[in-house]
DNA sequence: CGTTATTTGTGCGTATGTATT
DNA sequence: AAATACATACGCACAAATAAC
């Protein structure tokens, strides 16, 4: 029935997800019942259940037999499940990036050494990430010369103010001879400095989440170092860990 | 039908999960088809699909229309090594924990609902973690009643000031009938409140890393909620992500 | 205290669509 | 082109938990 591509249950899940993240069920009020939603969306109860299964596994809602369905998100910000390199590359699906400093060749000993380069020349690029008109993240990316030249060919990254839904690492993965195989992350909390505060619209010293990511190809060569600052009011970093037998 | 308590699909998912974690589908060989499993377990194809939905959302298998179902092998090839629950349980190897509030029964609606309890009674326990004479972490742990009673039997957690190298989750794993299988983490940055600042020896408002962990057993039951605050000067959270296929 | 209505959970059957082999 | 295998969607019946009466 209907639809060019997206299944009904996925569309319904997306609709509910957006409402939940907007905080429309924030004060502990419960979501509509399966029967209500089935009537509203004109689908069967089973299709509603399928949509809820995704939301449950994403940790966005919990359900109690006999009582109803309740939103989980206390922090009414932007929440993301990250568990693999592919997840990181898909980060831009529902966010916009806006270039604040176009890609350019720089000399920076610190980032060069973190990229394990023998020279001190890197390519540097800064942008912010926006979700529903809220800037929740600033990122500065450092690239080795060989990779930087490839990225500089992408017009989206060449000029200040450009807007795109791409990810740098996704573009690199397309253009590189060896694929991205690994990412090393380090997460910590810092007070916003003047630059970060200005871009995120918070006060100087405000606690922000700092995430450093180093991407490696299959040979273990560093291809990107990304340093991001997230506004915790609008972003929390979620991971699911499984036990390895 | 049948069975005292566990639904068929959950039993089937558990059975497949164990086989996968034992590596029985490790060499890229595919799992049996829905039809085969339906015959083998004497249930409908829908029930098999329900079991697979859980395994997919756990990231244990991936499915390709027209081809089949495949294990996300963690034995050979590209490992999906997100970090693991065992990593978390080994945290105490080189650190000491010191009880600041012994385990006690409390009424707390918020943590009870996050543990998905129908009652509002939880067991609560607070401690700090010390490494080389530096306090770098405070943690408050919330447990369902059944688990709390087990943990209360451990003398190390029963009195303020007690020092130990144990982890709560390690003790729970020993005493519980079903093992810990999964943990969901949420990481964000906050300013230290007066309690946290006093325990960590930093100023109020100082940026600290807040990590919420929800531990689940093999049935998906919540067994522990731990809320920790880390001093970023002495701790950063590192993860290695590998690419899957 | 039991009864009843509501709401979610489990399980099956069926039909049809789509991707792969 | 045909067979295989997963995906979507609807329908039904009954079970179990909860809440209101």
């Amino acid at each position: 029935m209907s639809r060019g591509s997206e299944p009904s249950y996925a569309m319904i899940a997306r609709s509910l997800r957006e409402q939940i993240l907007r905080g429309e069920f924030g004060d502990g009020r419960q979501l509509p019942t399966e029967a209500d939603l089935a009537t509203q969306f004109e689908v069967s109860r089973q299709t509603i259940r399928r949509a809820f299964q995704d939301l449950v596994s994403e940790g966005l809602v919990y359900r109690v037999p006999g009582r109803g369905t309740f939103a989980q998100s206390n922090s009414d910000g932007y929440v993301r499940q990250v568990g693999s390199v592919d997840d990181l590359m898909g980060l831009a699906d529902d966010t916009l990036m806006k270039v604040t400093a176009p890609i350019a060749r720089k000399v920076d000993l610190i980032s060069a050494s973190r990229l394990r380069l023998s020279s001190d020349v890197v390519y540097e690029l800064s942008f912010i990430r926006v979700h529903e008109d809220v800037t929740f993240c600033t990122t500065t990316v450092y690239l080795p010369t060989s990779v930087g030249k490839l990225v500089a060919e992408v017009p989206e990254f060449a000029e200040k103010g450009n807007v795109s839904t791409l990810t740098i690492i996704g573009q690199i993965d397309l253009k590189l001879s060896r694929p991205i195989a690994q990412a090393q992350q380090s997460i910590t909390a810092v007070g916003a400095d003047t630059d970060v505060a200005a871009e995120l619209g918070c006060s100087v010293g405000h606690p922000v989440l700092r995430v450093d990511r180093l991407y490696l190809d299959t040979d273990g060569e560093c291809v990107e170092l990304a340093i991001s600052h997230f506004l915790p009011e609008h972003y929390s970093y979620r991971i699911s860990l499984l036990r390895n037998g």
Side-chain angles (χ1 to χ4, degrees), chain A:
Chain A
M1 346 257 120
S2 66
R3 137 216 42 128
S5 59
E6 193 181 32
S8 308
Y9 80 85
M11 184 272 287
I12 294 167
R14 191 160 48 79
S15 164
L16 293 171
R17 193 180 295 113
E18 283 166 7
Q19 290 184 68
I20 293 166
L21 292 179
R22 271 202 298 274
E24 297 189 17
F25 307 106
D27 54 345
R29 241 175 46 261
Q30 69 185 25
L31 276 69
T33 66
E34 293 178 354
D36 288 348
L37 290 168
T39 306
Q40 177 187 328
F41 285 103
E42 297 180 291
V43 296
S44 78
R45 188 185 150 217
Q46 306 310 318
T47 302
I48 300 295
R49 285 186 64 72
R50 182 66 186 79
F52 270 134
Q53 276 168 29
D54 283 359
L55 298 179
V56 167
S57 77
E58 289 167 22
L60 270 179
V61 305
Y62 65 94
R63 320 193 71 199
V64 184
R67 286 218 292 145
T69 304
F70 305 86
Q72 188 91 92
S73 81
N74 297 347
S75 62
D76 53 345
Y78 178 58
V79 167
R80 208 159 232 296
Q81 287 266 14
V82 182
S84 73
V85 173
D86 289 317
D87 291 341
L88 294 182
M89 298 207 289
L91 180 66
D93 285 352
D94 51 1
T95 69
L96 284 179
M97 82 164 245
K98 187 176 192 177
V99 174
T100 54
I103 187 161
R105 188 173 178 280
K106 296 270 174 82
V107 172
D108 183 343
L109 195 55
I110 295 175
S111 55
S113 72
R114 291 190 61 186
L115 284 165
R116 299 167 203 169
L117 302 176
S118 46
S119 97
D120 53 4
V121 175
V122 297
Y123 276 67
E124 191 177 324
L125 163 67
S126 294
F127 56 90
I128 56 175
R129 224 168 248 299
V130 179
H131 178 70
E132 290 181 355
D133 296 326
V134 176
T135 301
F136 69 96
C137 166
T138 82
T139 302
T140 299
V141 164
Y142 303 90
L143 307 167
T145 304
S146 59
V147 180
K149 286 180 175 170
L150 293 174
V151 173
E153 295 168 1
V154 182
E156 277 88 344
F157 306 145
E159 207 169 329
K160 179 168 174 175
N162 278 5
V163 172
S164 138
T165 58
L166 302 175
T167 55
I168 308 283
I169 197 64
Q171 289 300 301
I172 292 175
D173 196 51
L174 284 177
K175 289 171 173 284
L176 229 57
S177 56
R178 290 186 296 270
I180 312 293
Q182 193 186 353
Q184 296 173 356
Q185 287 197 129
S186 165
I187 305 179
T188 190
V190 299
D193 64 21
T194 51
D195 291 341
V196 168
E199 291 189 325
L200 293 180
C202 63
S203 56
V204 174
H206 189 82
V208 297
L209 203 60
R210 171 174 165 158
V211 178
D212 292 21
R213 290 188 185 127
L214 188 65
Y215 293 91
L216 312 177
D217 69 16
T218 49
D219 276 11
E221 294 288 313
C222 302
V223 298
E224 178 186 329
L225 169 67
I227 300 182
S228 301
H229 293 87
F230 292 90
L231 206 53
E233 287 81 2
H234 297 291
Y235 184 89
S236 86
Y237 189 97
R238 287 198 191 179
I239 313 167
S240 258
L241 301 180
L242 292 181
R243 189 151 199 183
N244 35 19

